[in-house]
Structures are given as C-alpha cells and as structure tokens.
Amino acid sequence: MITPLTRPLYILTFIAVDLADRFTGPVPELQLTSQVLHVVFLVLPLLWALGMLSPLDALLLWGMEQALVFGLGGSPMSSNLRLLGMFAMSVCVTVCTFFIPSTLGVVLFSMAMGFLLSLDLSQFGTYCGGGSRGACGDSGWRRGASPAPPSWFGWRLGCSELLLYLGLLLGAMTEAGLLHHFLSPSQNFARGSQDAVSYLLITLFIVCWALREIQGAYVFGGVFLNPLYPRGMANVRVFKQRSRGLHVAGAIRRVLLNLVSPFAMVAFLALDGSVQQLHTASLSVGFTRAFRVVWQSSEDALLQMVVVVSVRLAAGDTRLPGWDSLGTGVQLLLVGLLSDRLLQFLSKLKFALAVLVTSWTEKKQRRQSAGTLLVLNASLCPLLLSVVVLSAMLSAPLLPLFTLPIFLVGFPRPQRSWPGPVGTACPCPDSIYYQQMSGSLACALRSAFARGSLGALTPGSHFLGRFQDRMVWIIILERGYGYCTVNIKGLELQETSCHTVEARRVDEVFEGAFERPERLGLNQGINLHWGNALTPCAALPVRVYSDARNVLSGIIDSHDNLRKLQDDFLKALVWLLLRNCVQRLKAFPWEAIMVESNISSLKFRRDSSSLTSFGDWSDEDDLFGPQPARRTVALVSMEAQLGHTVLQTGPSLPGSVEMDSLFENMALSALQPLQPLGLGLGLPAVDKGRNPEVPPTKSSGTLAHENFSCPHRELFSLPLGWRTAPLLPFRLQQLRPLFPEEWFRFTLGRLALAVQDEASEDVAKALKEDGGLRDLHAQVALSCLISLGAESAFTSPSYVYRVYSGDVPWTEGLKWLSENKELYQLALKAFRYSFKLLFDQASLGPMESLDELFSTLEEYERDWYIGLVAEKGWQDSVLQEKPFLFSLGHDLTMGTYTGRVLSLQEQLVQVGHLNGEGVRGQWANLSWELLYATNDDEERYSIQAHPIMLRNLTVQAADPPLGYPIYSSVPLHLPCF
C-alpha cells in the first residue's frame, strides 16, 4: 500500500531540503546537501529505472536496522515485527538513560537493560504464556511445522536458565555499582585500575582469537590449512576422537568469551571517566550502546574495546583533542561502524574482483564483450572503487548487472534481503530429507557456534553444507547473548547440468580442506581455492540418511531367485498373519481374556455336570432345580465370530433341549444362521445363499468344518472374511505342498509364548499340533498366493516390479483380496519382505536356519520400511527416523531395476562459509532482473553455472518466487552459550 508513495516521498524530500536552505540562515552543510540533491534530482528517472532507490518499506526497515545495530547496540532481527518491537524498546531505554540524574543510576540501569535486551525475549514470552519444557529429544522438533525444541540447556527457558541469567545480571550490576561507587572515575587510582583492565582485555582478545582460529579447517582468513584440524572423513568415531583437543580449546574459549570478557568490559566501562558527562545526548547514546553490545555481541565488543584501548596506550599522556572529546561510548560506536564498513568493503571488493577475473579466465563465462569490459573497468578503476566504497558506506549490495562486470549500487535493504516471512519454500517429495536432518543439523550447529568452529558469527552470514547429493544453505538471522537465530534451507536434489557443475566444484573445495594427508608440505598447506566464494570451515557430525543405490541386474532376473521368491513369500505371509493375530490381541486384550474365561467356564461346566448322576437334585419349588445362566445373543454372536463350538451346558434331563435358556425369548428369525457355527442343534436348514457374508461352500475354499483340537486356537484364528476366497478347492489342494508347515509350527511356537506371559511350552506344542489351525492358515496363505498370480512362480522381473508396486495384474481372486483391505496390505507387505529377503540373500548369502529367518523378519518390521519412495508411508518413516528404508525402482532410460537403501546414521556434513556480500549482490541482481528488467527466461545467462561464484546455487537459495529452495525452516533459535 505504501509502495506508490515512494516517488512522491523522494521528490518532497528534495523540495523540503531546498526550502530549508532558502528560508534559514547560511548553514554550509545544508547548502552543500541542497546542491548535491539538485544534481541528483536531474537523474532521478535513471535511478528509478536502474532500481537504485529503495522502496519506502525497505528504506524504513533498513534505517531502523542500521540505527538499532550501530546506534543502540542491537542486532538485525529475524522478522519485521521483532525489528519494530526491539527498536521501540531500545529507543525508550536510551531516552530514559538521558533523564536519570545520578551517574550510578545510569550505570546500573544501562547495565541491566543492556543485558535483558540482549537475551532471546521470545523465550520469555513462551515461558510467561505457560509453555513447558519439552521432552528430551522430542522428534516433533525435527519433523516440522510447530517444532518443540529438546530440553537441553538453553533450548527452552526453564529454572536453570532463569537462575543463570539472574546470577549473571546481579553479578554484573554488583560489579559495576561497586567499582563506580568506590573507585570514582575521576580519581587517579581509578585510571590505574582501568589501565590494568585494558591489558586484561587485550590478553583476552588475543587468546579468544587464537582459540577460535584453531577450531576451523583454515587459518588467517582461509589462506592456510590448519595443521591441528583432523583430516580424513571416513570414520565419524575416529574424527571425534581426534577432535577432543579442539573441543577442550573451544570450551575454554566459551568460558572466556561468555563469562570472563563481559565482566572485564563492564569493569572497563564503569571505571571510565567520561561516565561523569552522561547528560548529553551523544554520550547517553554511546554508553547505552556500549553496555548493550557487551552482551549482545561480546566478540565484536571485545574487538572494539581493544581498538580504543590500543589508541589510548599508544597515545600515552598525549591528548588527542578531536578523539578524546568524543567520550568512550561514542568512540566505541564509531569503531564499530568503521570496522563493519571496512569488512563490507573488503568483502565487496573480493566479490568484484572475482566477477572481473572469472569473466575472462572461465571459458564458459567469457563473452565477446569480456575484453572490452575489462579494459573499461581498468581505465575507470577510480570509478569502480567509488562504487564499491559507496555500496559499503550505505550497507547496500554491490549489484553486478546481469552478473557481468558492470557494477551498480543496489538499493539499501535489511540484511534478510526479502520482504516476506522466513520459512517459505517450494516443497516437493525430496523436502522430507531436509526436514528430517534440520533438527540434528541444528544441534550440531549449536555446538559449532559455541566452539567457534564456523568463525565469527554475524547476522547476514551465509554457510553451505554438503552431504552426498544434499546441499544445505544456512543463514544467520540474528545474534544475542547465548543464542543465535538461523534459517536452514534445502536445495533441490535434481541433477541438472548447472547443479552438477557447481556441486562438483563444491566437492573439490571441501576435499582440498578435509581429505588431504596429515603431514603437509609447505606448498600443500595453502588454500588453492581461496578465490572461490566458499571457504571450508568444519565438518559436523549430523544424524542423517545415507543414500545407497544398486543396480539389480543378476538378482531380479535370476530364475533361481524368482523360484525362491515364491517360498519366501509364503513364509513372510505366514509370519505376518500370525503376528497380526498377536498385535490384535495386544491391542484388544479383553478379547483374549474373554475367550480364555469362556473356554475355562465351558470346560468346568462340562467336567462338573454328569448326565448319569442325580445326587444334586433337590425338592425345591422349582421342579427342575436351579436354572442355568441365560446366554445373551451378544455372547452367542461373539462366540460365533471367534468360531466356538457351543455345547449344551448345565444339568438337564436326558433328551431335553434347552432352547429357551440359550436364546431367551427372542424369535429365531432375529438371529444369525447357526449352521456354519457348528452348533449341531438340529434346526431347520437355512438357505446360505441369502446371507451375503457367507458364500456357498461348494464354490469356495472355506473350511466348512474347522477341526480345531487346541483350546487356545482362538488366539490365532483369522477373520471369517479372509476364509471366503472364491477359489475351487482342488486348486488349493494342488498348491498345498507349497505351504511351509515346518516354518508355520516354528513361528507359531515362538509367537504363542509372546501372547501369554504365563503360557507354558505345552500350550505352544498343542497349538503347533492343531491341524485345523494349520489348515486355516494354509488356506488363507495359498488364496493370497493365487490372487497375486504366483501359483506357478514369479516369471519375470517386470511382473515382480508390478506386484511390488501394488499394480497386480488381474487374477481370479484379486477382487476378493482387494476388498479385504487389511489382508491385501499384509499380502503386499509379505511380498515386499520376500523381495528384500531375496536382495539380502543374493548379497550376503542364504539364511542358515529358521531362527535367523525369524530374526530377520522381526528386524524388517522393527527397523525397516520396505515400500516405494512415492508412498506416504515412506515420507512418514523418514520423519519418524526409521533406521532403514528400502525401495525397488525402475530406470526407464537404462532399462534396469534398482534398489535404494536409506540408512540413518551419524555422518559428517562439511560446512563452509560463503562470501556474504557476493550472495547479497547476486540476490540483488536477481531481484533487479526479474522485477525491473523482467528477464524471466529459464535459460538466461545470469543463472548459469559459475564454479567460482556458485551462481546457480545462490539463485536457488533465494526466497520464492525468485528462488526455489525445496525446504526452508522457520527461524530456529539455537542456544550457543
């Protein structure tokens, strides 16, 4: 809504300056500004056409960010709302500092508010809103949209964190108050104490810098290899052992940087003499910022204080009028601003030189105009340097037009570069791999940030992680005391030509840093890729899926393997059928209890009642004695579902029929047909064709009379619908020898003990010898075999692939199998398990025993997902971090079948630091090109592969719609205390 106001605002600003110059007294600065704006006004149309003037919203956000960082000691924020809130609070603190009359009050107030504003205030909001600590290792934090962080120290605000922060705050306030009160800054003794603290600060800076340098793969700005960093990335365990010394050094650095340095800097500020002159606007702003930046960015504050201290020690007793009159707070502010602009200038200059040099040295980047552009840039070298300097002064991106060596100053914008919220992406099925690894990667980044392995952390820094075919883009959004906010993006896995060229160069850069031998010569210790946009930093152990692909030629097309597949399928299906019974009883244990109680009750009644004994008869009012308990229709129906053979119970006269006691007073027409249940009550015949649930026996393979012999057989009985395959009995009889009876008895014995904790081996033995139960499972298993069209054998690899994929060709029993959805899923899973058995036995050798086969199937069920990559179960298993996944695929171009295995394990992800100004410059060109030049050609020059600048990967990492990362996390707040 405010975008249309951009051009009128610039025009009104120019007019306002001109009117102020006309109607006020002679002010040299105002006159010079008016003259410059008169010249700029003439070229306004050109500036708008080139996109060099900021839109109004970007200009306001940029101004607030610059004021917050360099004027108020804060940090760039991860969202516009957080930026507005933090800017308003920081301004209020500065205004309050100006009106506090006592210098002691100013010191204590500035100290306390600087500490509180440097913390992650979003955690306080969660804590005050009733948020509780999550469970340690909560997998939901890894998986998705509303992450619940682990309960490690710092991830969520709790009692331990509150006690630590409170202790630090009280300790720092006590230190500042006592030093300021008892050692007045105007006393000579205070100056001597401040000098001692100055030497301590210099020592701390040198030690912290040295300990940080040895944490990375390179030292001295990425020029020389670090001889202390371990080489060889083959074994994670060995890498961790070799890194123990660096971890100890990192722990020492953490203590010095997070605990010792802030208290030393607070002491230096409390003893400073300029505190007595706080009642001016500049000094109030300077000291408020100084006490804030001590906590907000301790490493930067330590550098700034060392520069100020070094100037004082170098000057000695000589007074520097222009410098000393500023006061320590303003001096620190200027040093911070100048150091930032200097680093930006050097980074932009390196980026500009990379564009210039590679436009000629890289053959694919050399255009016909390359020589002309090089000559122009050489002849206009002062103009080029002026553009780079102006870009650094404005903290605006250096824009290479169409990524050619033609440089402009992009419009100033916040560090995040994009107006939309963090976390937008272009998701696809491959996004789940980045979503899974983002949680473990965040944990690894947390440790790396704390140790200093990735260098100095500043908002706007970019890192690139590489593992196998995955590219991870990491952006630092904001930084505070004890925390860092990052955004993790995942780039596409598709192997396009541009992607492949740059990925190969990334691998070369990382190999040069991490895969070299331990002992290096002098010429081998130099970074040969120093000019590249990527500088390797460290290798981080991350729990991630390793992807292995195999061509199955010689396995899936072997006739011996295909014949073995049929036998393995029946064994896997029998195992799944029996295991399904166990799971059903564990999910509904009351069924098993009721079945056992009914069996015991029937057995007790049958044993206790004797038709030849009348000794228990009595002469009570009831002629026939006590009536047996009436059995309800629900109980009869339940026993019918479970397949019980109901016997007449209780004492009765010989020849009598207890119909009333069995069905109470209900009409027989309201009951289910009884003949299939085997009740044998002599009732009239019922036309079974009228009952759709029970198909005719003559045309089905249903067991008409289940000859069960074990009283516990109901524990492993199968549903009625699974016994009604419309298949001729003689077909089942022909295939009956294929049923693995020995395997059935072995599996039944193992699972029977798992159902009942108190079951004895006699019960398992009785179940194994139950012929009716064996015939029932044989009928269902063979019916599934016929329905899948495999009664002869799996004849071809294409047929195996179709069945594995669930695209089963039509067979006689396929409709029946597909209607029984649970059985169909079990049959499909059994086939996939059998193919995995085929794959394993072809690779590792045949199974030597039934016990090994049983253990293997248990491992498949527990630790594997065996299916297709496109299935939802595959994605759910990745997010649930299933240890292993297997898929069968078909490469249409090569005409081969492939096996894909994902294994979850701790691997080393190599991470490198990117030239942040190069990234911002290419993003600025992308934005200009698509928004101003409307060059949306998918094959345009400016997104082609560039091995030095990584141009294609950088474009991918931009936020949609200009870029297309397939995954982008919400802002992740990582504790790095």
Side-chain angles (χ1 to χ4, degrees):
M1 295 177 62
I2 63 175
T3 302
L5 302 177
T6 301
R7 295 186 179 183
L9 177 67
Y10 282 107
I11 295 174
L12 290 176
T13 303
F14 288 10
I15 294 175
V17 173
D18 179 70
L19 293 177
D21 180 47
R22 291 174 185 271
F23 294 101
T24 58
V27 180
E29 293 82 1
L30 188 60
Q31 291 178 352
L32 178 62
T33 303
S34 178
Q35 293 171 1
V36 171
L37 290 182
H38 274 78
V39 177
V40 174
F41 189 82
L42 298 176
V43 295
L44 270 180
L46 178 62
L47 296 179
W48 280 323
L50 295 178
M52 298 177 62
L53 294 180
S54 294
L56 185 56
D57 53 350
L59 182 64
L60 294 177
L61 293 173
W62 170 82
M64 279 192 292
E65 185 177 88
Q66 294 296 307
L68 176 63
V69 174
F70 300 105
L72 303 173
S75 165
M77 292 288 131
S78 58
S79 67
N80 295 337
L81 184 60
R82 288 174 64 89
L83 177 61
L84 291 173
M86 184 59 69
F87 179 78
M89 288 189 291
S90 302
V91 169
C92 291
V93 170
T94 304
V95 172
C96 292
T97 302
F98 180 78
F99 289 102
I100 296 177
S102 170
T103 57
L104 178 61
V106 168
V107 170
L108 295 179
F109 179 77
S110 300
M111 175 44 246
M113 295 309 299
F115 177 80
L116 293 176
L117 292 179
S118 67
L119 299 178
D120 186 7
L121 299 182
S122 63
Q123 296 287 359
F124 285 93
T126 304
Y127 183 76
C128 296
S132 59
R133 295 178 69 92
C136 184
D138 190 348
S139 60
W141 187 80
R142 298 186 180 96
R143 290 197 296 270
S146 300
S151 60
W152 302 342
F153 179 83
W155 286 99
R156 275 190 171 186
L157 190 65
C159 295
S160 57
E161 288 85 356
L162 284 176
L163 290 176
L164 175 64
Y165 292 148
L166 183 61
L168 290 174
L169 177 60
L170 294 178
M173 292 181 65
T174 302
E175 178 196 25
L178 292 177
L179 289 177
H180 183 79
H181 179 71
F182 291 103
L183 298 176
S184 176
S186 59
Q187 299 176 1
N188 293 329
F189 184 73
R191 296 194 188 98
S193 301
Q194 191 179 31
D195 291 340
V197 175
S198 300
Y199 287 109
L200 175 61
L201 290 175
I202 295 175
T203 304
L204 286 173
F205 173 75
I206 295 174
V207 173
C208 290
W209 175 83
L211 292 177
R212 189 194 71 194
E213 280 289 298
I214 65 174
Q215 295 293 322
Y218 287 101
V219 295
F220 298 110
V223 179
F224 301 101
L225 279 169
N226 179 12
L228 301 179
Y229 199 83
R231 309 290 167 191
M233 300 290 130
N235 193 307
V236 178
R237 183 180 58 83
V238 174
F239 177 80
K240 287 184 175 181
Q241 291 177 350
R242 295 180 178 179
S243 302
R244 288 179 180 176
L246 297 181
H247 291 177
V248 173
I252 297 174
R253 175 184 175 275
R254 290 168 65 181
V255 173
L256 294 178
L257 188 61
N258 295 324
L259 297 178
V260 179
S261 296
F263 282 90
M265 289 185 283
V266 168
F268 178 83
L269 294 175
L271 293 172
D272 193 75
S274 60
V275 177
Q276 303 294 332
Q277 305 172 359
L278 275 177
H279 296 292
T280 59
S282 60
L283 291 176
S284 296
V285 170
F287 262 92
T288 304
R289 176 196 175 276
F291 278 109
R292 168 84 176 273
V293 77
V294 161
W295 306 100
Q296 187 79 48
S297 182
S298 301
E299 200 164 11
D300 291 340
L302 188 59
L303 171 63
Q304 296 164 20
M305 285 196 181
V306 166
V307 172
V308 172
V309 164
S310 300
V311 172
R312 288 187 182 181
L313 295 178
D317 295 333
T318 304
R319 180 172 177 79
L320 305 175
W323 176 255
D324 293 338
S325 61
L326 294 176
T328 302
V330 179
Q331 291 173 3
L332 292 172
L333 189 153
L334 291 177
V335 170
L337 180 62
L338 291 176
S339 62
D340 176 80
R341 296 307 190 254
L342 178 61
L343 291 176
Q344 285 196 38
F345 171 77
L346 295 177
S347 182
K348 293 175 192 293
L349 183 61
K350 181 180 179 181
F351 171 57
L353 291 176
V355 175
L356 282 168
V357 173
T358 56
S359 66
W360 181 263
T361 58
E362 294 288 329
K363 293 183 179 180
K364 292 189 177 181
Q365 306 301 324
R366 189 184 303 170
R367 303 171 67 87
Q368 295 181 351
S369 58
T372 304
L373 291 176
L374 285 176
V375 172
L376 285 176
N377 279 280
S379 59
L380 300 177
C381 181
L383 179 60
L384 174 61
L385 290 177
S386 301
V387 171
V388 176
V389 170
L390 180 61
S391 175
M393 291 177 59
L394 295 176
S395 188
L398 180 65
L399 193 155
L401 204 61
F402 298 106
T403 65
L404 294 170
I406 304 173
F407 298 98
L408 301 175
V409 179
F411 65 81
R413 67 199 77 187
Q415 286 282 359
R416 289 184 291 112
S417 296
W418 311 112
V422 176
T424 55
C426 303
C428 69
D430 291 333
S431 303
I432 57 171
Y433 302 114
Y434 291 111
Q435 190 174 349
Q436 175 273 326
M437 73 177 296
S438 61
S440 181
L441 178 61
C443 298
L445 289 174
R446 169 184 183 265
S447 301
F449 289 162
R451 293 195 307 267
S453 301
L454 301 182
L457 297 179
T458 56
S461 299
H462 297 260
F463 298 90
L464 183 68
R466 175 69 166 165
F467 172 72
Q468 289 187 351
D469 58 349
R470 269 156 274 185
M471 291 277 193
V472 183
W473 197 281
I474 305 163
I475 307 174
I476 307 296
L477 299 176
E478 62 180 86
R479 176 72 191 275
Y481 184 66
Y483 83 97
C484 185
T485 303
V486 303
N487 170 231
I488 298 176
K489 294 181 178 180
L491 306 187
E492 64 177 356
L493 304 182
Q494 181 182 1
E495 293 295 333
T496 61
S497 58
C498 295
H499 184 102
T500 303
V501 169
E502 294 188 359
R504 189 183 302 117
R505 178 57 62 88
V506 170
D507 292 336
E508 292 176 1
V509 172
F510 280 129
E511 287 174 3
F514 299 116
E515 301 297 335
R516 292 193 178 187
E518 290 288 342
R519 296 183 178 181
L520 301 173
L522 181 62
N523 59 340
Q524 294 178 327
I526 300 176
N527 182 7
L528 301 179
H529 300 282
W530 183 81
N532 198 285
L534 177 67
T535 302
C537 293
L540 307 180
V542 178
R543 191 170 173 81
V544 65
Y545 277 104
S546 178
D547 196 346
R549 302 169 190 253
N550 303 287
V551 178
L552 301 182
S553 300
I555 297 178
I556 194 174
D557 51 2
S558 171
H559 295 291
D560 294 336
N561 289 338
L562 292 178
R563 284 193 295 269
K564 186 70 169 57
L565 185 62
Q566 185 186 67
D567 181 57
D568 288 341
F569 168 71
L570 288 174
K571 290 181 179 179
L573 182 58
V574 167
W575 184 84
L576 286 172
L577 290 174
L578 293 173
R579 189 179 180 278
N580 182 67
C581 297
V582 174
Q583 287 183 325
R584 186 168 62 248
L585 292 173
K586 287 184 177 180
F588 303 99
W590 57 270
E591 292 185 359
I593 295 173
M594 185 169 292
V595 168
E596 293 300 319
S597 64
N598 290 335
I599 293 174
S600 302
S601 176
L602 292 173
K603 183 178 179 181
F604 171 77
R605 293 178 183 178
R606 185 167 60 247
D607 294 340
S608 62
S609 62
S610 175
L611 298 179
T612 60
S613 176
F614 297 92
D616 292 336
W617 287 62
S618 61
D619 295 332
E620 297 178 357
D621 294 338
D622 192 345
L623 178 61
F624 298 101
Q627 296 290 329
R630 293 180 178 270
R631 296 158 50 76
T632 63
V633 176
L635 182 58
V636 173
S637 301
M638 184 200 71
E639 292 178 349
Q641 291 286 341
L642 297 175
H644 283 179
T645 301
V646 181
L647 300 176
Q648 184 180 355
T649 61
S652 62
L653 291 176
S656 65
V657 179
E658 294 288 340
M659 290 300 300
D660 183 66
S661 64
L662 182 62
F663 299 107
E664 298 185 329
N665 295 322
M666 293 189 62
L668 293 180
S669 60
L671 300 175
Q672 295 291 334
L674 301 178
Q675 191 167 355
L677 303 180
L679 295 177
L681 298 176
L683 296 179
V686 180
D687 185 2
K688 292 184 290 185
R690 298 178 182 178
N691 183 7
E693 298 181 0
V694 183
T697 305
K698 293 182 180 180
S699 62
S700 70
T702 304
L703 293 176
H705 301 285
E706 296 175 352
N707 185 21
F708 293 137
S709 60
C710 177
H712 299 275
R713 79 273 181 189
E714 300 301 337
L715 300 175
F716 291 95
S717 183
L718 298 177
L720 288 175
W722 296 8
R723 318 176 196 178
T724 58
L727 305 172
L728 295 177
F730 80 89
R731 298 187 63 186
L732 297 175
Q733 292 299 327
Q734 289 178 344
L735 297 176
R736 186 64 172 79
L738 296 177
F739 183 74
E741 294 190 7
E742 183 182 1
W743 167 252
F744 173 80
R745 288 192 295 269
F746 175 82
T747 305
L748 185 60
R750 292 285 295 268
L751 294 178
L753 298 176
V755 174
Q756 296 178 338
D757 296 335
E758 300 179 357
S760 62
E761 294 184 0
D762 295 335
V763 175
K765 183 178 180 180
L767 285 171
K768 290 189 290 184
E769 295 176 355
D770 193 321
L773 186 62
R774 183 174 61 253
D775 293 340
L776 172 61
H777 282 265
Q779 176 198 357
V780 175
L782 295 175
S783 299
C784 294
L785 183 71
I786 296 173
S787 300
L788 293 179
E791 62 270 23
S792 58
F794 296 101
T795 56
S796 66
S798 61
Y799 190 88
V800 171
Y801 177 72
R802 290 189 64 181
V803 176
Y804 184 96
S805 303
D807 182 21
V808 184
W810 184 89
T811 60
E812 183 179 355
L814 182 60
K815 182 178 179 181
W816 160 81
L817 183 60
S818 60
E819 289 175 351
N820 293 278
K821 298 184 182 301
E822 185 179 3
L823 181 60
Y824 175 77
Q825 293 298 327
L826 290 176
L828 181 60
K829 180 186 288 190
F831 183 82
R832 291 174 173 180
Y833 281 10
S834 63
F835 185 83
K836 183 62 171 59
L837 286 171
L838 182 151
F839 178 81
D840 290 346
Q841 292 180 93
S843 305
L844 306 175
M847 300 289 176
E848 297 181 355
S849 63
L850 296 180
D851 187 72
E852 183 181 358
L853 177 59
F854 188 90
S855 301
T856 302
L857 290 175
E858 279 190 329
E859 181 186 356
Y860 287 171
E861 188 69 24
R862 181 183 64 251
D863 298 334
W864 286 79
Y865 178 82
I866 302 174
L868 296 175
V869 176
E871 292 175 341
K872 185 178 183 299
W874 180 280
Q875 300 182 8
D876 293 340
S877 298
V878 171
L879 297 181
Q880 294 167 7
E881 295 194 340
K882 203 83 168 177
F884 304 97
L885 295 92
F886 176 83
S887 174
L888 175 63
H890 185 205
D891 189 345
L892 296 176
T893 58
M894 302 297 295
T896 58
Y897 294 93
T898 58
R900 183 181 184 184
V901 179
L902 296 183
S903 55
L904 183 65
Q905 51 189 323
E906 198 171 37
Q907 298 285 344
L908 292 175
V909 175
Q910 299 167 347
V911 180
H913 183 270
L914 292 162
N915 185 341
E917 293 302 324
V919 173
R920 294 185 70 206
Q922 294 180 77
W923 282 355
N925 170 74
L926 175 67
S927 175
W928 177 87
E929 190 174 347
L930 295 182
L931 297 181
Y932 291 90
T934 62
N935 185 10
D936 57 353
D937 182 11
E938 294 183 355
E939 299 299 327
R940 63 186 185 274
Y941 167 78
S942 56
I943 66 171
Q944 298 301 312
H946 195 300
I948 301 298
M949 297 194 305
L950 305 180
R951 183 168 54 194
N952 185 264
L953 296 177
T954 303
V955 169
Q956 288 185 46
D959 281 2
L962 304 184
Y964 45 98
I966 64 174
Y967 173 77
S968 181
S969 70
V970 297
L972 302 176
H973 299 264
L974 310 182
C976 50
F977 185 79

